[in-house]
Amino acid sequence: MNTTPEHLHLALNHLPFLGALFAIFPLIIGLLTRSRPTIVSGLAIAAFAGWTTPFVMATGEAAYERYERGAVAGWLDPGAGEFLEIHEQRAHRWSKILYASAGISTLGLILALRREKWVVLAAVVSLLFCAASTMAGVWIAESGGKIRRPDFRAEPLINAEPQVEFEEE
């Protein structure tokens, strides 16, 4: 099996922000029902999701290095380079939120397991970081999707009618 950094990055890149999104539901349900086990589950999901960020970043960096060496240039169209740069800049800037979410959720999980009075605060703070991580991840992924998908780059035409050509008989 020939697994490249690009393949690993594509396989892992949604885990941090989709995991944060999935953690929001048990956190909200746990807060509404005052269920400590449900909150702990949400914190665990958020912590796991956040700690996948270093792997996503490492595989993205390795994939970008292969692009710079020309190893993957044949698979990409000429416009991909611009979106690789945008994607890399967004990932470096906004991944800090994902890292913070990992740390906050882990700390919240420890506090929730050791000190029952901290459960609600841990859930609320983690919930806010999960929401921010979801938004940051979507922003990063938006540019990542445009690297291999030129059809994602074009702005859709609003109210455009399809152009149909008729042959004369």
Side-chain angles (χ1 to χ4, degrees), residues 11-92:
L12 298 174
N13 67 11
H14 293 91
L15 288 175
F17 73 92
L18 286 181
L21 175 64
F22 295 149
I24 288 172
F25 297 103
L27 289 171
I28 290 173
I29 292 167
L31 285 167
L32 292 174
T33 63
R34 300 282 189 200
S35 170
R36 185 171 176 237
T38 306
I39 289 172
V40 167
S41 297
L43 290 169
I45 294 167
F48 171 78
W51 289 119
T52 63
T53 304
F55 301 106
V56 173
M57 294 296 289
T59 57
E61 284 293 328
Y64 187 76
E65 287 171 12
R66 284 175 40 87
Y67 168 76
E68 286 184 322
R69 290 192 311 263
V72 295
W75 298 101
L76 300 173
D77 69 355
E82 175 185 351
F83 292 99
L84 274 164
E85 294 294 328
I86 293 168
H87 183 62
E88 181 185 35
Q89 290 170 3
R90 286 183 187 179
H92 281 291

Side-chain angles (χ1 to χ4, degrees), residues 2-169:
N2 185 12
T3 305
T4 66
E6 303 84 67
H7 290 103
L8 290 173
H9 187 68
L10 289 172
L12 298 174
N13 67 11
H14 293 91
L15 288 175
F17 73 92
L18 286 181
L21 175 64
F22 295 149
I24 288 172
F25 297 103
L27 289 171
I28 290 173
I29 292 167
L31 285 167
L32 292 174
T33 63
R34 300 282 189 200
S35 170
R36 185 171 176 237
T38 306
I39 289 172
V40 167
S41 297
L43 290 169
I45 294 167
F48 171 78
W51 289 119
T52 63
T53 304
F55 301 106
V56 173
M57 294 296 289
T59 57
E61 284 293 328
Y64 187 76
E65 287 171 12
R66 284 175 40 87
Y67 168 76
E68 286 184 322
R69 290 192 311 263
V72 295
W75 298 101
L76 300 173
D77 69 355
E82 175 185 351
F83 292 99
L84 274 164
E85 294 294 328
I86 293 168
H87 183 62
E88 181 185 35
Q89 290 170 3
R90 286 183 187 179
H92 281 291
R93 182 174 294 127
W94 293 98
S95 64
K96 292 172 182 75
I97 293 172
L98 301 168
Y99 285 117
S101 184
I104 295 289
S105 299
T106 301
L107 180 62
L109 183 59
I110 293 167
L111 288 173
L113 292 172
R114 295 195 175 224
R115 300 184 191 263
E116 194 167 326
K117 64 182 177 181
W118 289 89
V119 171
V120 171
L121 178 62
V124 169
V125 173
S126 184
L127 178 63
L128 294 173
F129 273 87
C130 284
S133 291
T134 301
M135 291 185 285
V138 168
W139 179 242
I140 296 165
E142 189 269 340
S143 60
K146 293 179 179 180
I147 294 167
R148 287 272 304 168
R149 297 288 308 264
D151 54 312
F152 285 2
R153 298 176 200 161
E155 295 295 321
L157 298 175
I158 299 172
N159 297 327
E161 293 187 30
Q163 301 294 319
V164 181
E165 292 184 26
F166 295 99
E167 291 182 21
E168 292 185 30
E169 294 182 23

